[in-house]
Amino acid sequence: MATQTYKIPSSEIPGYSAIYRNNLFKDGTHGSEFSEITTAYELFQHHLAIAPKTEFLGTRQFNPADGSFGAYEWLTTTDVAEYVEEFGSGLDHVFAKYAPDSSRVSGQQPLGIFSSNRTEWLLTEFSAFRSRRYTVGVCDSSGVEYSEYIINHAELSVVVCSIDKIPRMLDRIALIPGLRVVISMDRLDCSRPNSVTQAFSTETAGSLLRKRAAAIGITLMDMDEVLEMGRATPTTAQPPTPSDMCTMCYSSGTTGAQKGVLIHHDGFINAVRGVHLAPRLTDSTYLSFMSFVHCMDRYGIYMLMFGGARVGFYSGDHARLVDDMQVLRPTVLFAFPLLLNTIHDGMTKATIGARGIKGLLSRVAYRSKQKHLASTGKPSHRLWDRVLFSKVAAKLGGRVKAILSGGSNLKPEVMEYLRLALSCEVLQGYGQTETMASGTAQRMGDYTSGHFGIPNPGIDIRLRSKPDIGYLVTDSPCPRGELMMRSKSVFAEYLGEPDKTHETMDGEWLATGDIVQINPSGTVSFISRITNHLRIGTGFWVSAERLENVYSQHPLLQSLYVEGNNEHYKVVAIVVPDSAEFIPWARAVANSPAASLEELCSNTTVVQELKQTLRMHAEENGLSIQEQLGAVFIEPTPFREKNSALYTSTLKLKRRVAAKFYDEQLQKLLIEAGVV
């Protein structure tokens, strides 16, 4: 198999592998293309130059009478540029009058943005860049305390937010004493209704909120008022330099407290420029719905701006995502595996998993497309797409050309189905907040699975041995170890945490904390987080994350959480069944054709049979006896529905929170599995 990476000769040193690069960019740079773009503000100006009259930012029309959503309304790039000049000027006056001493990092002022993804979020960010400010995304997905933590930690004096966030901030102003100005994205008189303003009357928003704010020393205004300030007295733009701070993103908090990750403009542009040079997508239509507080969605938007982009925002509720897609008809999607799994499950149940003639025809068509892809390297099929799969693709708008998944492993069967059903590219990528989501990605036309592709242009990778948990760069047949990355896109620092910044860096290399292997093809396969390794009573180290990836591929399971410790012989798991597959199987096992899901999950015979079924699955997938589950608890309710706090806003399981939440069940399972 031909390698897709370039291995720098004689770059190995003791304890470290060779250094690998993208084989199309062997010198480790991006070349000269787009070299004139060095900041995010210059990238916006580039987009203005190549697509001045093109629809750029879109919002669905809202009908307040019945709460329904209609077509998208668009601002052209020129409209956006005019808005940025006026709102940016207005922000200059706001900071000068109400927060003149609010400079923080590098003498720059931070600007907080607190809302779900919407047009005003990006308008605010572009306006901040115009005057050398850096943005800080604020969110409350993990509770109101999370938003207060960010406002205090980032020392935000000015926050631009949706109107629904204002009452909570005013109620808890004593806990965010540094806040001085709140700017509402929505008109305070509610004269421009949308789904967010529905809970507010004109009196509540326009009068009561202003009085409450004034009484506690907070200046409250809306974006239109700031625009008027800018129109009345324009200011001169002060664009950022490459070494200025661009944004601060908070890490997802999978393993503990969130850290404020500061990223320079140079690093930001290095990340998005590198990924653009790989697929070179142009004239794209993109649906934005993943929280802007983290970097993946913005990474996608700014990357597409190199080649021209239409960005439509979702209507505010993930339950309406499919409807948003059908109206917007996107060509590019960025998504976490959890969403793609849900889309896959719904589509397969209606096609290859259906009963009768429809299911039979779907399976014949699917097998034909599998063979066609294997022989031609093309996921499209003239006959079966026209007869069957065009209707499936229409569920997502019918124009999707590429889907990029990141955050965790996407199941191979999900990747294959989406490729064939949608006749599109489905690619996996790897990145971290500390690299502005950039790292590795599959190439267009790569229809394999089980890996995260190769280094993006401008990024060097290597492995570092971790002998304490059994991973060495000298392992055969593939080197294994902690993934290290070197690039301009590596973050500047963790705000206020120099010790953690130092711990994360090994010289000029970012230590990702992730164990991977480099395959013969040069691609990178994820194994586990270092912190997710468990030492069980036999002294054997096991990767909980790897086991979860293997076991979750069984059709009876939707997801699971694996745990263990050094006082017990085996690992155990809390498993969530795939109800469509599990219920008929479990009813047959229990000989109880009318039993409910809850009854089946607590049935001793079903539990033991599931454990044996998973043991056979483990053996078939090459797991050792120490990696086989000693006991299982069947949780009938999906983790996110059971307790939303179990997941980060990037849809990763918080292992420490899960361990505490399921402590009672885990202790019983560990005893059942055996004490040392």
Side-chain angles (χ1 to χ4, degrees):
M1 180 183 296
T3 183
Q4 300 179 44
T5 55
Y6 171 64
K7 181 178 178 181
I8 298 179
S10 304
S11 57
E12 301 93 339
I13 57 177
Y16 296 82
S17 75
I19 298 171
Y20 297 85
R21 290 174 175 164
N22 189 300
N23 66 356
L24 300 181
F25 297 84
K26 294 180 180 180
D27 65 354
T29 73
H30 295 148
S32 60
E33 191 173 5
F34 300 116
S35 60
E36 73 281 4
I37 300 173
T38 62
T39 69
Y41 185 69
E42 289 175 350
L43 177 54
F44 170 64
Q45 295 298 324
H46 163 78
H47 193 267
L48 174 62
I50 65 170
K53 298 300 181 181
T54 300
E55 295 173 341
F56 184 24
L57 303 181
T59 304
R60 291 192 70 180
Q61 298 172 349
F62 177 73
N63 184 348
D66 60 8
S68 63
F69 291 84
Y72 275 86
E73 292 182 312
W74 293 91
L75 295 177
T76 67
T77 315
T78 298
D79 295 333
V80 172
E82 292 173 355
Y83 192 103
V84 166
E85 276 301 304
E86 294 172 352
F87 189 65
S89 293
L91 284 175
D92 289 343
H93 295 302
V94 168
F95 274 92
K97 182 175 182 179
Y98 300 106
D101 57 347
S102 61
S103 295
R104 300 290 183 260
V105 182
S106 302
Q108 296 174 253
Q109 297 168 321
L111 177 61
I113 312 179
F114 189 9
S115 77
S116 59
N117 296 20
R118 53 188 289 183
T119 292
E120 291 81 3
W121 212 110
L122 280 187
L123 290 173
T124 300
E125 178 155 83
F126 296 150
S127 300
F129 294 158
R130 172 195 176 274
S131 298
R132 198 175 163 262
R133 298 185 177 94
Y134 64 93
T135 58
V136 180
V138 183
C139 81
D140 52 9
S141 60
S142 298
V144 67
E145 296 82 6
Y146 185 24
S147 61
E148 292 162 3
Y149 169 79
I150 294 175
I151 291 171
N152 289 329
H153 183 256
E155 299 182 87
L156 298 177
S157 299
V158 181
V159 172
V160 180
C161 66
S162 52
I163 195 172
D164 58 311
K165 310 298 184 185
I166 298 174
R168 279 177 281 174
M169 286 195 288
L170 298 182
D171 287 344
R172 300 168 69 91
I173 196 64
L175 299 174
I176 43 177
L179 185 64
R180 302 178 194 174
V181 181
V182 176
I183 301 172
S184 175
M185 294 177 175
D186 308 290
R187 285 187 176 178
L188 290 173
D189 62 8
C190 296
S191 59
R192 191 185 298 133
N194 57 44
S195 59
V196 177
T197 64
Q198 283 293 85
F200 296 85
S201 68
T202 302
E203 179 182 359
T204 301
S207 177
L208 184 58
L209 285 179
R210 289 184 191 273
K211 289 178 181 179
R212 287 180 61 197
I216 56 178
I218 296 296
T219 299
L220 175 63
M221 59 185 74
D222 58 36
M223 290 183 79
D224 281 8
E225 294 174 77
V226 178
L227 277 170
E228 286 302 319
M229 295 168 66
R231 290 190 188 112
T233 312
T235 63
T236 301
Q238 294 181 302
T241 66
S243 61
D244 281 334
M245 292 301 166
C246 175
T247 191
M248 183 161 70
C249 299
Y250 279 81
S251 59
S252 61
T254 310
T255 57
Q258 294 87 354
K259 298 182 287 291
V261 181
L262 282 162
I263 300 170
H264 291 117
H265 275 274
D266 190 29
F268 186 104
I269 289 299
N270 190 79
V272 297
R273 180 183 169 206
V275 77
H276 166 72
L277 291 174
R280 295 181 181 272
L281 298 169
T282 58
D283 300 322
S284 301
T285 298
Y286 180 83
L287 177 65
S288 172
F289 61 89
M290 294 185 296
S291 175
F292 276 157
V293 173
H294 304 289
C295 51
M296 186 171 173
D297 203 292
R298 278 188 285 166
Y299 171 71
I301 291 171
Y302 282 90
M303 178 267 284
L304 294 172
M305 284 169 60
F306 277 97
R310 297 167 76 239
V311 181
F313 293 91
Y314 82 123
S315 54
D317 187 343
H318 284 85
R320 288 194 295 267
L321 273 179
V322 171
D323 183 58
D324 293 333
M325 291 182 199
Q326 291 174 357
V327 176
L328 180 65
R329 303 186 68 219
T331 61
V332 179
L333 291 175
F334 277 44
F336 295 124
L338 191 60
L339 173 65
L340 297 178
N341 290 342
T342 301
I343 292 172
H344 163 267
D345 292 347
M347 287 182 170
T348 54
K349 287 173 185 176
T351 55
I352 61 176
R355 297 180 180 180
I357 297 297
K358 182 178 181 181
L360 178 62
L361 180 63
S362 297
R363 290 187 288 275
V364 170
Y366 189 73
R367 286 193 292 269
S368 178
K369 289 201 71 173
Q370 285 177 311
K371 294 177 181 177
H372 185 71
L373 175 61
S375 63
T376 67
K378 296 180 180 179
S380 59
H381 190 288
R382 184 177 300 177
L383 171 62
W384 292 119
D385 287 344
R386 185 172 68 252
V387 172
L388 179 64
F389 287 109
S390 61
K391 300 179 181 66
V392 178
K395 297 291 184 183
L396 303 187
R399 297 198 307 160
V400 176
K401 296 178 182 177
I403 297 174
L404 182 64
S405 175
S408 60
N409 282 314
L410 184 61
K411 296 179 182 179
E413 63 269 26
V414 175
M415 292 189 75
E416 181 184 57
Y417 180 84
L418 293 177
R419 285 167 175 161
L420 296 177
L422 303 177
S423 297
C424 74
E425 305 278 347
V426 180
L427 312 171
Q428 287 201 99
Y430 171 92
Q432 293 191 326
T433 306
E434 287 81 355
T435 60
M436 194 57 202
S438 185
T440 70
Q442 287 181 271
R443 281 182 173 161
M444 299 284 274
D446 180 352
Y447 297 111
T448 60
S449 59
H451 62 85
F452 287 94
I454 61 173
N456 287 330
I459 292 182
D460 293 344
I461 66 169
R462 76 182 330 168
L463 304 185
R464 178 169 67 177
S465 287
K466 301 298 290 185
D468 53 329
I469 52 176
Y471 296 99
L472 302 175
V473 299
T474 54
D475 284 345
S476 181
C478 298
R480 301 187 302 168
E482 181 180 10
L483 178 64
M484 314 290 285
M485 292 197 289
R486 179 175 65 182
S487 172
K488 288 183 180 180
S489 59
V490 170
F491 77 125
E493 62 180 284
Y494 294 126
L495 180 66
E497 299 184 270
D499 290 344
K500 289 186 177 179
T501 303
H502 180 73
E503 290 171 9
T504 305
M505 299 302 296
D506 183 352
E508 58 185 346
W509 291 87
L510 171 71
T512 66
D514 288 326
I515 298 295
V516 305
Q517 75 176 31
I518 296 180
N519 303 311
S521 62
T523 59
V524 177
S525 290
F526 179 82
I527 296 175
S528 179
R529 287 289 294 173
I530 291 175
T531 53
N532 292 344
H533 279 74
L534 310 171
R535 187 167 189 169
I536 58 176
T538 58
F540 190 82
W541 285 94
V542 299
S543 165
E545 204 160 5
R546 174 173 173 265
L547 299 188
E548 288 163 359
N549 288 331
V550 171
Y551 284 114
S552 65
Q553 292 176 18
H554 195 283
L556 290 176
L557 299 189
Q558 181 197 89
S559 57
L560 74 158
Y561 160 54
V562 172
E563 191 56 88
N565 59 43
N566 61 5
E567 296 180 358
H568 298 86
Y569 282 118
K570 290 191 175 184
V571 292
V572 299
I574 310 292
V575 304
V576 177
D578 182 312
S579 57
E581 298 286 341
F582 177 79
I583 289 177
W585 173 85
R587 283 174 175 171
V589 170
N591 193 24
S592 181
S596 67
L597 175 61
E598 290 73 17
E599 291 170 336
L600 294 169
C601 289
S602 60
N603 184 290
T604 303
T605 302
V606 170
V607 173
Q608 291 304 312
E609 185 62 25
L610 179 62
K611 187 175 80 169
Q612 292 304 314
T613 299
L614 294 177
R615 180 184 63 78
M616 290 186 288
H617 178 74
E619 291 176 348
E620 291 169 358
N621 284 273
L623 298 184
S624 67
I625 191 169
Q626 293 96 336
E627 295 172 313
Q628 294 174 15
L629 301 176
V632 298
F633 171 82
I634 308 177
E635 168 61 78
T637 307
F639 291 135
R640 288 191 75 203
E641 295 178 22
K642 189 75 174 182
N643 184 348
S644 61
L646 294 176
Y647 277 86
T648 70
S649 55
T650 55
L651 305 182
K652 297 176 183 176
L653 185 69
K654 294 181 178 178
R655 307 193 69 84
R656 295 177 185 176
V657 177
K660 185 175 181 180
F661 185 77
Y662 284 107
D663 181 66
E664 181 180 348
Q665 292 92 336
L666 289 170
Q667 295 309 315
K668 292 179 180 177
L669 293 175
L670 288 167
I671 292 172
E672 179 186 340
V675 181
V676 174

